[in-house]
Amino acid sequence: DRLRLWVAATDYSGELAISDEILKGVVEGYRRIRNPLRFLLANISDFDASTATLQVEQWLEIDRYALALTRQLQQTCQGEYERFEFHRVVQALQTFCSEDLGGFYLDILKDRLYTTAPKSVARRSAQSALWHITQAFVRLLAPITAFTAEEVWAVLSGDADDSVMFQQWHQLPVQSGEAELLTKWAIVREVRNDVTKALEARREAGEIGAALQAAVEIRCAGDKFAALTSLGDDLKFVFICSATTLVESAEESVTATPLS
């Protein structure tokens, strides 16, 4: 699969290059895909999609945002496959895993998955989203890393004789207002990057050990203030800190303060 990934990730319109260093990079790229897949499978292992899946209207907003991101990924990859631009498919899959999943959604989701009641709406919402993400992702991955995709599909289907290669692209649930959702959460993620930098500065200074040992004050206005305000108490979970304070101000700033 790593060799298949190297072939697929290389732009065949130019010369193909291979070396130990290139293959090391391919291995790292493979891990960026495999590790999130393991997380996805682990957290839907007790989930029966036929009985426990919630309607998308019941999902938490961040789960609906993850669905919108997955639809974007699927549309992008399908288009690139049709144009035989396999290296662009690999880029899209790796970016989705490292930035959208590992660097954002799954990082925020951990506490909800590990602390809420098994049959609660909060957990079922997350698992419903994760199930659809996994279904879509493994099918997009299958033409690139066939063996890994088959391993994942065997776990998903529970049938060792079934194959992901017999499947069509996954039909993701339809939801309204996805464009607005993507725009809003792009703003939230931009602020989250600033919050992360502020927290990291405190950590490097030795003032905090973990992000939950700090509170964050955010000063902003306009669309940014409206987007953050709409999240209410969930804002601290998105930013993974102990408390957040929003102040409407034309002079934007993000301040992290260690808890006493």
Side-chain angles (χ1 to χ4, degrees):
D1 266 357
R2 291 168 182 171
L3 286 175
R4 289 173 63 90
L5 187 60
W6 165 70
V7 172
T10 305
D11 184 354
Y12 60 80
S13 64
E15 293 185 357
L16 304 187
I18 189 168
S19 67
D20 287 342
E21 287 304 312
I22 289 174
L23 290 179
K24 286 179 183 177
V26 171
V27 170
E28 184 59 34
Y30 176 77
R31 287 181 183 143
R32 284 201 298 269
I33 291 173
R34 186 177 180 89
N35 289 343
L37 275 172
R38 294 179 66 181
F39 181 95
L40 292 170
L41 290 175
N43 283 282
I44 58 174
S45 60
D46 63 339
F47 181 73
D48 184 351
S50 64
T51 59
T53 303
L54 298 182
Q55 294 296 315
V56 70
E57 294 80 10
Q58 298 175 275
W59 294 12
L60 274 65
E61 185 174 282
I62 192 172
D63 299 326
R64 292 192 288 109
Y65 170 63
L67 175 65
L69 288 175
T70 306
R71 195 185 319 279
Q72 269 193 336
L73 172 72
Q74 183 164 271
Q75 291 170 348
T76 297
C77 290
Q78 285 180 229
E80 300 298 358
Y81 272 130
E82 290 171 4
R83 290 185 289 271
F84 302 103
E85 298 283 358
F86 304 118
H87 64 290
R88 297 187 186 279
V89 175
V90 173
Q91 290 171 4
L93 294 175
Q94 289 180 335
T95 299
F96 182 75
C97 282
S98 60
E99 296 182 12
D100 295 325
L101 289 184
F104 181 70
Y105 181 55
L106 301 185
D107 193 33
I108 295 169
L109 205 60
K110 289 175 183 175
D111 285 345
R112 182 159 33 119
L113 287 169
Y114 300 158
T115 61
T116 54
K119 296 182 180 180
S120 65
V121 171
R123 181 173 171 81
R124 288 304 192 211
S125 171
Q127 288 184 306
S128 297
L130 293 180
W131 186 84
H132 281 292
I133 291 169
T134 310
Q135 288 282 338
F137 190 87
V138 68
R139 297 166 201 238
L140 295 171
L141 183 66
I144 304 295
T145 56
F147 294 99
T148 299
E150 289 288 21
E151 288 178 358
V152 174
W153 190 257
V155 176
L156 278 178
S157 67
D159 184 355
D161 295 325
D162 193 11
S163 172
V164 68
M165 300 301 176
F166 298 150
Q167 311 304 315
Q168 302 290 326
W169 299 126
H170 183 57
Q171 296 296 314
L172 293 165
V174 176
Q175 62 174 333
S176 60
E178 277 199 349
E180 293 79 5
L181 202 60
L182 289 167
T183 299
K184 172 185 173 178
W185 280 89
I187 294 172
V188 174
R189 289 178 68 170
E190 180 184 346
V191 177
R192 187 175 187 266
N193 289 336
D194 294 335
V195 170
T196 300
K197 291 176 184 177
L199 291 169
E200 187 60 31
R202 293 293 190 182
R203 187 180 291 110
E204 290 177 356
E207 297 173 351
I208 62 173
L212 289 174
Q213 295 175 337
V216 173
E217 180 187 84
I218 303 158
R219 293 178 174 269
C220 58
D223 292 342
K224 190 176 290 187
F225 183 79
L228 298 179
T229 301
S230 70
L231 297 180
D233 291 339
D234 288 340
L235 197 58
K236 65 183 178 183
F237 299 112
V238 173
F239 293 156
I240 314 180
C241 59
S242 288
T244 56
T245 302
L246 275 177
V247 178
E248 190 168 11
S249 170
E251 296 182 5
E252 297 188 356
S253 65
V254 174
T255 306
T257 305
L259 298 177
S260 57

